[in-house]
Amino acid sequence: MEFKEDEILPKRSKSTEIQSICSEDSVFSMPNLPEELITEIMLRLPVKSLLQFRSVSKSWLSLISTSYFVKTHLLLSASNKDYIHHEVITKASNTSRGVKYCSVSSLLYDSVPESFELDNPGKNPNAFPLFVGSVNGLICLAINLFYGIDCFIIWNPSIRKYKKLSYEEHIVPYFTFGFAYDEFEDDYKIVGIFPIYSYASLCRVEVKIYSLKSDSWKRVKDYKGVELLGDFAKFVNGKLHWLDKHWNIISMDLADEKWAEVDQPCCFKGCGFLKLGVFESDLSVFCNHAWTHVDVWVMKEYGVKESWTKMFTVKSPEDSMGRIFYPIILMSNEGEILLKFGSRFMKYNPKDDSIRYLDVTKLAPCHEVQIYVKSLVCPFY
């Protein structure tokens, strides 16, 4: 979904909170620079600069801390089509403890992108982090011991703040989760799906939801549908989405906590392997066919079956060796598509149907990948 600037920025009449802050400090009284102009300039600065500017004056600290500023800065950063505010975090394997990051703009536009170590708050010699999801610059990690989940961490690496959530009720080896933002409640939530087995038979599937605002878990009605696959959910249109073992797309609405099946083309059933993704702000599906190619589909209008559109088809490289395509899916200004094939990044050019592996400096083959936008959003209320 594309945003126009006048749609992103709240109306000036709504920014009286900021105007009152600005007028309190003489640092805003610069010649020929109106208060509103200073604010609009600051809204377009990277998070790193804004963190430094908090020390300039009390009024700048107050300005940068307002919910108006944080949300507007987030919207502007997320809608930047050069992806200068986006980063990718990666892990080498399910059991690796280290996390690395690389800027998305570097992957899209640099000839030799570079990755860097990221000091994650879940680092533990006896556990390893799993990427549950990322929303508005917050990353949710599930800290996994070899016998089950130990805790969750909601983390904003851009401002180096995190919240650790102890979790002792479900130490089980089988689980799947989703991380989402409930716009109606202005709340970040974790949804946990826990299949409960007895003598290798599935007895029930328990569902629990954590609210960051209330800092508490609650049990909701058990999930009654076909067993869900273990991949973590994709968040689109206020709903979390999983695939079940019959390749159906199952959603959970955060507003009413109801489950539903998303209509999809019949051709999805003929695919060898499906993967859910998000293209811009739309739900996408990667249909991997017998290790030969992948069809990338996007639901242009959420909930409308007829709006499913096949965007492009990518042929598997000759050295595919049974590997499949995964949906990191971003498009550069030149029209190139960023994908993950097996454990490597690659770019696909639909103009000439070419593919090219990306050699990222200091990055081993990656198993888990998550995209996040750098933001000022705080992981606690």
Side-chain angles (χ1 to χ4, degrees):
M1 179 181 296
E2 293 187 1
F3 296 94
K4 295 179 180 178
E5 188 164 303
D6 57 355
E7 293 174 343
I8 293 172
L9 288 173
K11 300 298 183 183
R12 294 180 187 272
S13 59
K14 296 181 180 179
S15 62
T16 53
E17 179 185 10
I18 288 183
Q19 291 174 356
S20 63
I21 291 170
C22 294
S23 61
E24 291 174 2
D25 198 290
S26 60
V27 75
F28 280 94
S29 303
M30 299 179 184
N32 303 319
L33 284 180
E35 296 168 359
E36 287 189 353
L37 178 57
I38 295 175
T39 300
E40 300 234 1
I41 292 172
M42 293 179 71
L43 283 168
R44 288 158 176 79
L45 295 177
V47 170
K48 184 176 181 180
S49 298
L50 292 171
L51 295 180
Q52 296 171 336
F53 288 172
R54 292 183 306 179
S55 303
V56 171
S57 68
K58 291 182 179 179
S59 66
W60 280 28
L61 172 61
S62 298
L63 167 65
I64 295 168
S65 303
T66 62
S67 61
Y68 166 91
F69 190 95
V70 171
K71 290 180 179 180
T72 308
H73 180 269
L74 169 65
L75 287 171
L76 286 169
S77 298
S79 61
N80 184 289
K81 295 305 179 184
D82 291 322
Y83 298 104
I84 59 175
H85 302 292
H86 289 75
E87 290 184 342
V88 171
I89 57 172
T90 71
K91 278 181 56 190
S93 69
N94 263 335
T95 56
S96 63
R97 295 169 176 83
V99 174
K100 290 194 170 187
Y101 75 94
C102 179
S103 77
V104 170
S105 61
S106 177
L107 288 171
L108 287 173
Y109 303 114
D110 291 355
S111 56
V112 184
E114 185 175 1
S115 68
F116 304 90
E117 291 285 345
L118 188 59
D119 189 17
N120 77 87
K123 206 165 186 179
N124 183 324
N126 301 313
F128 46 93
L130 302 175
F131 299 156
V132 176
S134 172
V135 182
N136 296 344
L138 296 182
I139 298 169
C140 181
L141 303 176
I143 307 304
N144 196 21
L145 302 174
F146 287 97
Y147 54 81
I149 293 297
D150 175 53
C151 67
F152 293 91
I153 293 175
I154 298 178
W155 169 43
N156 185 334
S158 302
I159 61 174
R160 299 182 181 180
K161 292 185 178 181
Y162 67 92
K163 182 179 178 66
K164 184 177 180 179
L165 321 173
S166 296
Y167 195 79
E168 301 174 354
E169 296 185 39
H170 279 286
I171 305 297
V172 295
Y174 308 105
F175 49 78
T176 183
F177 298 101
F179 182 53
Y181 174 64
D182 186 339
E183 185 176 0
F184 296 102
E185 300 289 338
D186 188 26
D187 193 7
Y188 292 88
K189 296 181 177 180
I190 303 171
V191 176
I193 313 295
F194 305 95
I196 306 300
Y197 293 88
S198 177
Y199 300 103
S201 296
L202 181 64
C203 300
R204 65 187 185 278
V205 180
E206 296 183 0
V207 182
K208 296 196 73 176
I209 300 178
Y210 171 80
S211 161
L212 182 61
K213 183 176 284 187
S214 66
D215 191 25
S216 63
W217 290 88
K218 70 174 182 179
R219 174 87 177 269
V220 298
K221 290 182 180 179
D222 289 355
Y223 169 67
K224 301 294 186 181
V226 175
E227 187 175 354
L228 301 176
L229 300 180
D231 288 351
F232 293 140
K234 303 300 180 184
F235 179 58
V236 176
N237 200 53
K239 301 178 179 68
L240 287 166
H241 301 80
W242 291 265
L243 288 168
D244 70 16
K245 65 180 183 179
H246 297 319
W247 298 130
N248 299 307
I249 303 173
I250 307 300
S251 70
M252 182 186 189
D253 193 326
L254 291 179
D256 56 17
E257 298 168 1
K258 291 183 178 179
W259 296 87
E261 182 177 332
V262 178
D263 288 334
Q264 60 193 62
C266 297
C267 61
F268 284 11
K269 299 293 184 180
C271 297
F273 205 90
L274 293 186
K275 281 289 182 180
L276 290 182
V278 180
F279 179 60
E280 296 183 342
S281 60
D282 297 323
L283 186 66
S284 69
V285 171
F286 274 39
C287 295
N288 287 274
H289 292 269
W291 327 120
T292 60
H293 67 279
V294 63
D295 293 328
V296 179
W297 292 76
V298 174
M299 196 180 213
K300 296 284 192 175
E301 185 177 351
Y302 187 84
V304 178
K305 180 179 179 180
E306 294 72 21
S307 74
W308 280 105
T309 304
K310 185 162 73 170
M311 300 292 290
F312 42 82
T313 296
V314 185
K315 295 178 182 178
S316 299
E318 293 182 359
D319 60 344
S320 60
M321 299 176 62
R323 291 170 290 181
I324 65 171
F325 289 92
Y326 292 88
I328 275 203
I329 179 167
L330 294 170
M331 183 180 292
S332 72
N333 290 328
E334 288 77 25
E336 290 187 311
I337 311 297
L338 178 65
L339 307 166
K340 188 165 83 77
F341 181 70
S343 59
R344 296 183 65 184
F345 292 112
M346 69 162 42
K347 283 199 290 190
Y348 167 67
N349 189 335
K351 295 177 183 178
D352 58 9
D353 202 32
S354 63
I355 56 176
R356 179 169 64 88
Y357 285 115
L358 299 182
D359 293 318
V360 185
T361 305
K362 302 177 185 177
L363 182 67
C366 51
H367 177 76
E368 287 189 72
V369 175
Q370 193 72 226
I371 297 177
Y372 73 98
V373 59
K374 291 180 279 188
S375 79
L376 295 164
V377 176
C378 191
F380 35 81
Y381 284 86

